[in-house]
Amino acid sequence: MTAIKHALQRDIFTPNDERLLSIVNVCKAGKKKKNCFLCATVTTERPVQVRVVKVKKSDKGDFYKRQMAWELRDLAEVDAKDASKENPEFDLHFEKVYRWVASSTAEKNSFISCIWKLNQRYLRKKVEFVNVSSQLLEESVPSGESQSVAGGDEDALDDYQELNAREEQDIEGMMEVCEYAISNAEAFAEKLSKELQVLDGANIHSIMASEKQVNILMQLLDEALSEVDTIEGKMSSYEEMLQSVKEQMDQISQSNRLIQISNNNNGKLLDEIQFLVNYMDLSKGHIRALQEGDLSSSKGIEACINASEALLQCMNVPLRPGHEKLMSVKQQQHLFTELRDTFSRRLTNHLNNVFVHQGHDQSSVLSQHMAELTLPKHSPLHRDLLHYAKLMEWLKNTQREKYEGLSRTYVDYMTRLYEREIKDFFEVAKIKMAGTAKEGKGNKFATLPRKESAFKQETESLHGSSGKLTGSTSSLNKLAVQSSSSRRSQSSSLLDMGNMSASDLDVADRTKFDKIFEQVLSELEPLCLAEQDFISKFFKLQQHPTLAQGEVEESDGGVPSRQPPPGEKDMVRLMMNKVFQSIETELNSLITLGDKIDTFHSLYMLVKMSHHVWTAENVDPASYLSTTLGNVLVTVKRNFDKCIVSSAHRNSM
């Protein structure tokens, strides 16, 4: 690098009256490496001009050529990229940003140090240095060659002083007087020496003559020195006072900072306290309602609902970190837990008593309904219990075990109640059917073979051209639609067939049986739907139609899809199955009785049952009523198939 520096100084900068102070080997960042040199130079003539010159080696030979130059005063910023790590990259911000990569970090640091010194000396700190370590700026970089140039040459510039105009005139006048000075330098120097000695002697005599003035001057200097000492003493005292004031101000500033921190902490503490008070404070009225609220009156129930919702909101408050360690928060949470347990226990006991009283009260009115073949209505009980629906939802969200226990208690009591009511109801229906059978016992199916063609015509109208029902679900659905759309025409045709010969078929007995069976189904249908609707609303079980267990649903493309996972709808169905567990058994027993009385009754039961199944499926395909009636419909269809087979067998004989 030293040889290159001397070569550049000799070939490029000396002919232009410039001195090379620092050099760095660089290439442009991010591009193909084409090395060049950045040089920091100063002119030898006054006023001094500082430049950054880009020198590039010629492609044709080993000589260098000057490619570009920038004035240092146009440099706005030097960015060293990283002050803590060694990084050869740096940027120079002239009219645009030039990004360079040095061959070494040491050359980069030496060049930036030289630029900093030139900036301090000639530009009065105009250039801004970014990401440059303070050590690099304050201390000189120990690179011998550049240090000697940047130090020695600049000191030589400081020692050099130009002659002013008067000095030039005096020298020219002296040279004119002493024409021989050019030819005889020794004589000229001797003459100057003699004249200088004469001047020195005159100066000494002048000084000795002005001794008095010198003494006065010395006395004044002594007085000035003493005055300076006095002023320095006062300045020292003032400095001590200012130091004391500064210390006091520092203490006041520290105190103010501590006061500010204390105020901020107090404000944050107040916010936390207000948060806890606002969201974890339960009013005395709500506490009283939870502990002693009247659960038998509408006002008391409303107060208990509001109190339970407030309690649930307080218990579900999202606590911030550290709140759970506060003693007051622990005490409040303990209070909320006790209130929840107390109120849930009171609510459970009260509803259990309501269920028990309902079972006793309802049993006293059973006899009034049985004589008319009607089932007791439970709408008053449902209406009263629905007032507790929101409390049941609260119990479901807070005390799941008690909620499930209460649902089991309700199911147990209602199962016994409905079992007793349904059993008595079907006993009355069986008695009425048996009475109808005794009235027309003598002429049942007396001349059935003679009217077999009419009987076949009626069965074919229900089953289609095949004359025989299959066991598929699609045939049952078609039968349901056909029976619904042509119910009146079928009934009239049955009566017309009876009118063919009153001595052959007892139309009156079958019509009474048809009315009794229709009355049974008409009483069961609203009872089941009302109870299912009540269970869903009271126990807060969402009713979304789902598929019955074991069934699959076909999509538009005909590919069966899997049934959805069990949910709250399944809980409703399970509760309904237990509450009305005797309905399907009683219906099958009633159907068996009707079939024993008259096998032709299976036709009437098939028509009625198909109509009610179709109606139930339109309301809710997955309801308990739809499922139960569908199962019973299969039994009726089988009985009817047996009737058809038996009739066909008799005809063949």
Side-chain angles (χ1 to χ4, degrees), residues 467-533:
K468 183 178 180 181
L469 283 174
T470 62
S472 63
T473 307
S474 61
S475 64
L476 291 179
N477 291 334
K478 293 179 181 179
L479 177 60
V481 175
Q482 292 173 359
S483 61
S484 175
S485 62
S486 60
R487 184 182 176 188
R488 292 184 178 180
S489 61
Q490 291 168 2
S491 299
S492 61
S493 64
L494 289 175
L495 292 176
D496 293 340
M497 186 178 68
N499 291 330
M500 292 177 184
S501 176
S503 60
D504 294 338
L505 296 174
D506 193 350
V507 178
D509 291 344
R510 293 171 180 170
T511 303
K512 290 181 180 180
F513 175 83
D514 183 48
K515 290 181 179 180
I516 294 172
F517 193 72
E518 173 65 23
Q519 181 69 17
V520 171
L521 296 179
S522 299
E523 289 292 325
L524 290 177
E525 183 173 349
L527 181 70
C528 294
L529 293 177
E531 184 64 29
Q532 181 169 341
D533 184 64

Side-chain angles (χ1 to χ4, degrees), residues 370-371 373 423-433:
M370 294 302 104
L373 193 59
K423 183 177 180 181
D424 294 341
F425 175 72
F426 275 94
E427 287 296 330
V428 174
K430 291 176 182 178
I431 292 172
K432 289 182 176 294
M433 285 184 180

Side-chain angles (χ1 to χ4, degrees), residues 328-480:
S328 58
V329 174
K330 292 181 180 179
Q331 293 175 356
Q332 200 72 358
Q333 288 178 337
H334 181 67
L335 173 63
F336 294 156
T337 303
E338 289 183 349
L339 289 174
R340 180 196 64 189
D341 296 339
T342 301
F343 181 68
S344 61
R345 186 167 53 253
R346 290 180 59 243
L347 178 62
T348 304
N349 294 336
H350 178 76
L351 291 178
N352 281 331
N353 294 333
V354 172
F355 299 156
V356 173
H357 291 319
Q358 171 62 20
H360 293 307
D361 295 341
Q362 199 71 14
S363 61
S364 61
V365 297
L366 285 177
S367 59
Q368 300 177 5
H369 296 276
M370 294 302 104
E372 302 176 358
L373 193 59
T374 57
L375 285 169
K377 304 300 181 183
H378 296 271
S379 55
L381 172 65
H382 294 168
R383 183 175 57 253
D384 295 338
L385 287 178
L386 283 178
H387 295 154
Y388 302 94
K390 291 185 178 180
L391 294 178
M392 286 299 297
E393 183 178 9
W394 175 86
L395 192 65
K396 179 181 179 182
N397 295 329
T398 57
Q399 295 281 359
R400 186 75 181 188
E401 294 181 359
K402 292 186 178 180
Y403 166 81
E404 293 176 353
L406 199 60
S407 62
R408 288 193 297 269
T409 302
Y410 174 81
V411 169
D412 292 340
Y413 278 104
M414 297 308 293
T415 298
R416 291 196 292 267
L417 177 61
Y418 277 120
E419 186 175 3
R420 187 166 59 251
E421 292 177 354
I422 291 171
K423 183 177 180 181
D424 294 341
F425 175 72
F426 275 94
E427 287 296 330
V428 174
K430 291 176 182 178
I431 292 172
K432 289 182 176 294
M433 285 184 180
T436 301
K438 290 179 181 180
E439 293 177 2
K441 186 176 181 181
N443 53 5
K444 186 196 313 180
F445 278 106
T447 57
L448 183 60
R450 291 181 297 172
K451 302 300 180 180
E452 193 65 38
S453 60
F455 180 75
K456 287 184 178 181
Q457 184 179 359
E458 290 300 324
T459 56
E460 289 176 358
S461 66
L462 292 174
H463 292 273
S465 59
S466 62
K468 183 178 180 181
L469 283 174
T470 62
S472 63
T473 307
S474 61
S475 64
L476 291 179
N477 291 334
K478 293 179 181 179
L479 177 60

Side-chain angles (χ1 to χ4, degrees), residues 17 54 57 59 84 103 146 148 150 157-158 182 241 253 284 324 347 359 365 380 397 415 462 527 536 566 583 599 641:
D17 296 330
K54 178 182 176 183
K57 190 175 182 179
D59 297 335
S84 58
S103 60
S146 62
S148 62
L157 290 175
D158 290 340
I182 299 174
M241 294 173 62
S253 176
K284 294 182 179 179
E324 64 277 359
L347 178 62
V365 297
N397 295 329
T415 298
L462 292 174
L527 181 70
S536 301
I583 284 184
T599 56
D641 289 342

Side-chain angles (χ1 to χ4, degrees), residues 282-283 285-287 289-290 298-314 343 390-391 394:
L282 195 62
S283 64
H286 288 161
I287 295 176
L290 293 173
S298 58
K299 291 184 179 179
I301 294 173
E302 186 67 24
C304 290
I305 291 174
N306 296 333
S308 62
E309 291 177 352
L311 176 62
L312 183 61
Q313 184 178 2
C314 291
F343 181 68
K390 291 185 178 180
L391 294 178
W394 175 86

